[in-house]
Amino acid sequence: MVFFRACMALFLTLPCWCSAQTASGCDLVLSGTVMDEHDHTPLAFAEVSVPALGRGTVTDEQGRFRLEGLCAGSLVVRVDHLGCEPIERRIEVREERAIELFLEHHTEELRELEVVRERPDEHVGQAHDALDKHAMERSSGKTLAEMLATIPGVNTLNSGPTISKPVIHGLSGNRILTLNQGVRQEDQQWGTEHAPNLDPFSSDRITVVKGAASVQYGSDALGGVIITEPVELPREAEISGEVRGIGMWNGRGGGGNALLQGGVQGMRGLGWRVQGSGRYLGDSEAPDYVLSNTGVREGGASAAVGYRDHRWNATAYYSWFTRELGILRASHIGNLTDLNNAIESGTPWYVADFTYDIEAPRQDVEHHLVKAEAGYAISERDRIVLTYGYQADDRQEYDIRRGGRSGTPAIDLFLTTHTADAVLKHWIGKHIHGKVGVSGVYQENINVPGTGIRPLIPNYRKQSGGVFLLEHFPISPKVEMEAGVRVEATQLDVAKYTFDDVLITPQHDFTNSAFTLGANWSVKDSLRLRFNVGTAYRPPHVSELYSEGLHHGAAAIERGDAQLTSERSLKGTIDLEALWFGGRLRTDVTLYANSIADYIYLRPDGVELTIRGAFPVFQYVATDAFLYGLDATLQAKLTKRFSLRNRTSLVRGRDLSQSEWLFQMPSDRMENALLFELPQAGAWRAVEVSAASQIVFTQSRVPVDLDYSDPPGTYHLLGLSASASRTLGKGELRIGLQANNLLNTTYRDYMDRFRYYADARGTDLTFWIRYSFGKHT
């Protein structure tokens, strides 16, 4: 504790100390103009920044900018402008220099500057946000879902302190598609306590598409898409890398990750990258007690090798991820009386001393991904890309069992998935270009014998194939439209035994289609409007059709319905981004509405006493649902160093069939943060400090007399974040501190399935330190 108090004292006093320093010897100036690539007209209100230094400015009405007080060296300059995707350029600054930067949806390399990263606009009309490498680093030690929860409109569905799943606009689970390195992530994501099995640090950028996106990505994209984007491999032989260490107070553990990458001497275009990470935590702690049996062990590694030139590109990628975690012991109840007492008392029935041991109930998961991709430029503007992915997901779930059998898994599932995609990116003319593609999935799930328990879900095989067309229509320099269609067929073959031990093999066939229509309108340099209307679909998962029994990880009995049909949604979004008062105020507001036919969800259906204890019962049911809401971010620059940011998320969900509110919708929430940035302070640079206040309101819009307890009350949390960099040898050292729930507030969240049994985590402090070297990092 003394160590963390010292760290907090350091960061709280750092801005005061830094402001008294001067960056002696760093007096160079980089100036220039930002222009449109097509007609070379100046772009006003473009944001020009040096992310590594935390420095930035906004262009004037003539597109001009000026960055002062720079040190000599190689700098990566980033340019953002409404209506264009960001670009990054590496620039050598040895003396005062004036440059010209050009923005366009399909930017080509400029001779005098090295292109670091190009990201064409793949989501015309779709509201989307991204976490870049710096934002991900600030969330070191967190899970993927916890990282994404900093984005307005994204929440988490929790099962205690160790398991979290992302929720986008009120939808989660199989309604959120995750692309891991461009491949659909398939890892038993149907369970509310089945967190995504991937290492977020295997990527350096995560994009969240907050709209119906089935046309491009296929089924399961009703709520949105999470894209962990592949890291661009080096093209030159120089070795670079980084190593990061993480210490975490709540859980009394930590972790780290490291990467190394480079090219091959004499073979420009051939690059490689290896990466690994891990976390080790003991029991989490609420303000008043230990949350017993909530330890975590995680490990991951990935390797990639690739080649690219002006015509060919090919990449091979492999990743491995393993996780062992404990399930809150207090969530498993012995009888109906104890269950009611646990819910009503507000205190867990089981609390033990802190330990790193993980006992039953617990989960063991291991996930493998192999990806091969090749692309060929048929012409200067047309390209074909082939992608194959193989995944193997091995999951065991252990329950508390009699007769010394707790070491035998109660659920033992092995899931294999093959995916294949072929996409032709074509250029028909100046005003029409896009892509056409086909995709296929073959999946097989096996219950490994030996559990001694009737399987929760049966064995099955799933095959699906689809074809899509997605076209972009640049109407004018200010307006671009997008339209697309997709058709997909799915066949599900199930093998299961009835309660009379009779083998049955039901088959389900689903045929679905989707369309999308969107537009991106740059009204003026400081105002951009996106809109999209599209349909999406999702065949029911086998768990929704055939679950029958205790799902110990969720501490609930779940029952399926074999008569369920595909969900179909129609969603519309409007996204408005604007700069006001010369760029001093930035706003981003998204409005959305989503109508879903045959919406499937788990509905509480009483309690049941079994030989393994008493558990709440949930039944899969279908209804017609209507969801709507708002996401908003407002950031005002108060002074040269201080900014104020507000993030607000509202979502409403109605069960149209029952004429009531939908169950398990996120509560309204708002975060206000005071941000401080100091570009240079002696040897330190890119100093960032923020203090945040988050308030989550009581969920008052719930079905009457349906849940097992009333929604938790409103709660308010305070947080602190700070980081700074400096040169160390030939590399960069960066340190950071993040504190959540600083006041050790006792609270429970409506979106936590284990809120019936225990409070959420108390004060959580994370300290991280990273050293990077080489120009590629």
Side-chain angles (χ1 to χ4, degrees), residues 168-172 175 212 221-223 534 536-538 565-571 593-601 622-628 652-657 662 665:
I168 302 176
H169 289 173
L171 301 178
S172 63
R175 299 182 185 94
L222 275 75
Y537 55 87
R538 183 183 72 88
T565 59
S566 292
E567 294 180 337
R568 293 178 174 85
S569 85
L570 173 64
K571 184 173 184 179
N594 195 357
S595 176
I596 306 177
D598 298 312
Y599 173 84
I600 302 169
Y601 70 104
T623 188
D624 292 334
F626 183 68
L627 289 79
Y628 58 98
R652 304 287 184 267
R654 293 290 297 177
D655 184 331
L656 301 181
S657 300
L662 272 180
M665 286 289 109

Side-chain angles (χ1 to χ4, degrees), residues 193-194 293 323-329 331-332 358-366 394-402 404-413 448 450-451 453 550-555 612 615:
E193 85 303 350
H194 296 174
N293 200 49
R323 176 190 287 129
E324 179 187 10
L325 55 84
I327 304 297
L328 180 71
R329 179 66 179 86
S331 67
H332 284 236
I358 297 178
E359 306 291 345
R362 62 184 177 89
Q363 297 179 1
D364 284 343
V365 180
E366 189 170 314
D394 193 8
R395 168 177 289 272
Q396 291 87 37
E397 301 186 12
Y398 297 84
D399 199 0
I400 300 172
R401 305 176 69 176
R402 299 177 180 178
R405 295 183 298 147
S406 295
T408 300
I411 296 177
D412 194 347
L413 299 172
V448 179
T451 63
I453 295 176
L550 174 63
H551 191 179
H552 87 89
R612 287 184 280 171
F615 297 93

